[in-house]
Amino acid sequence: MAQPEINQRDLRSRSKEIMDAVAGGQSFTVTRDGHEIGELIPLRRRRRFVARDEFTAMSRNAVSVDITAFRADQDAAVDSEAVDPHER
């Protein structure tokens, strides 16, 4: 589905209407002199809370992690000679 095009002049003169549409989930392609110059798209909002039931359902299919192998992988990736930047 193609995004509706709006030209620079429409964006200026109808900014409230257009921004309200973007806030409602609508995206637009912005043009100037007949050339596409950008897109107005809604921000993706990250959820900060997941309900316990939903988390439990998602976790059922999660891959189990071997904690010993995980720590070994971490140790192998970390420079054991790293210096604490806060020590003098």
Side-chain angles (χ1 to χ4, degrees):
M1 185 168 134
Q3 300 176 159
E5 287 189 359
I6 55 172
N7 61 43
Q8 185 177 4
R9 178 175 289 147
D10 283 341
L11 179 58
R12 239 188 345 258
S13 64
R14 298 175 37 221
S15 64
K16 182 186 181 332
E17 173 189 345
I18 292 166
M19 290 301 147
D20 287 347
V22 171
Q26 178 67 55
S27 298
F28 295 92
T29 299
V30 181
T31 63
R32 179 171 53 199
D33 298 326
H35 301 287
E36 295 178 347
I37 60 168
E39 292 180 307
L40 284 175
I41 59 172
L43 290 175
R44 289 179 24 203
R45 303 273 183 212
R46 297 184 87 185
R47 293 188 332 179
R48 294 181 182 256
F49 174 78
V50 177
R52 182 178 300 206
D53 294 341
E54 187 177 350
F55 179 79
T56 302
M58 290 187 303
S59 299
R60 283 191 191 107
N61 298 324
V63 177
S64 63
V65 175
D66 178 347
I67 192 67
T68 304
F70 178 73
R71 287 187 176 147
D73 286 345
Q74 283 184 317
D75 289 341
V78 173
D79 180 5
S80 61
E81 300 298 319
V83 178
D84 185 348
H86 301 287
E87 288 185 4
R88 294 201 177 242

